[in-house]
Amino acid sequence: MNLSNKKEKWMFKALIESQKAFNDDEVPIGAIIVKDETIIGRGYNQVERLHDSTAHAEMIAITSASNSIGDWRLNDCILYVTKEPCIMCYGAILNSRIKKIIFGLHDPEHGFITKNSSSNVVESHLKYVEGGILENESKKIIQDFFLKKRNNDKL
C-alpha cells in the first residue's frame, strides 16, 4: 500500500479502526476525526456489541472527538471514514459542524450523497467531500467480512 499523500495516511488510520470492527464480528467500518494534524476521535462499528442501531463508526468518532476537545462543535475538523456515511451519520456530521468528509468506499445504495435529491444540499453544508481514498482497501475488508460470514453460515 502506497501511502503517498496525507489523505491516504489518515484513511489508513481509519482502516485500522475498521479492522477492530472486523475482529469484533461487526461490519468493518472505521472512522477518525482529525484536527490540526492530530487524531481527536476514533470509532468503529459497534452496533451488535452495544445493541444500538446508531453505534456507527462515525457516531462513535464524533462522540470521542467531542469528549476529547470538550465541545460538540467540531469546527475545522476532518472526518475520514472507510465507507460513505449513511444519512443518519451525515446529519450528525452536519450538526457537529465537521467541515470535510473524506471516505473510502462509495455506497450507492445507502450513502448520503446518493440519498440526497440534490448535490446542492451537500455542497451548501460542507466545504469538502471526497470519496475513493483507499477505496480498494476499504472494499476488500468489507468483502472479506461478508465472505467469512457466508462461510461460517455454511458450517
Side-chain angles (χ1 to χ4, degrees), residues 5 21 27 42 44 47 51 55 67 72 86 115-116 129 145 151:
N5 67 45
V27 176
R42 298 174 192 270
Y44 60 90
V47 172
H51 309 287
N67 288 333
W72 63 270
C86 69
K115 295 300 180 186
N116 277 305
V129 176
F145 174 78
N151 288 339

Side-chain angles (χ1 to χ4, degrees), residues 23-80:
N23 295 343
D24 283 352
D25 205 29
E26 297 273 358
V27 176
I29 299 170
I32 63 164
I33 297 177
V34 175
K35 183 175 179 138
D36 300 326
E37 299 300 313
T38 302
I39 297 173
I40 62 166
R42 298 174 192 270
Y44 60 90
N45 272 0
Q46 297 182 49
V47 172
E48 300 299 333
R49 171 191 276 185
L50 299 176
H51 309 287
D52 180 354
S53 63
T54 69
H56 291 193
E58 302 93 326
M59 304 293 270
I60 293 170
I62 288 169
T63 300
S64 172
S66 295
N67 288 333
S68 179
I69 65 169
D71 194 345
W72 63 270
R73 294 173 198 86
L74 300 177
N75 297 317
D76 300 318
C77 291
I78 304 170
L79 170 73
Y80 291 85

Side-chain angles (χ1 to χ4, degrees), residues 127-142:
K127 295 180 181 175
Y128 189 85
V129 176
E130 182 178 356
I133 304 301
L134 297 185
E135 184 170 19
N136 291 334
E137 293 82 352
S138 298
K139 183 178 182 179
K140 181 170 181 0
I141 194 168
I142 289 174

Side-chain angles (χ1 to χ4, degrees), residues 81-95:
V81 60
T82 57
K83 185 168 161 283
E84 181 182 340
C86 69
I87 199 77
M88 173 190 69
C89 291
Y90 177 63
I93 292 162
L94 291 179
N95 286 336

Side-chain angles (χ1 to χ4, degrees), residues 6-18:
K6 194 183 321 184
K7 291 176 198 166
E8 289 178 352
K9 175 188 112 172
W10 292 121
M11 187 60 72
F12 182 74
K13 301 288 187 185
L15 280 164
I16 291 170
E17 295 300 309
S18 72

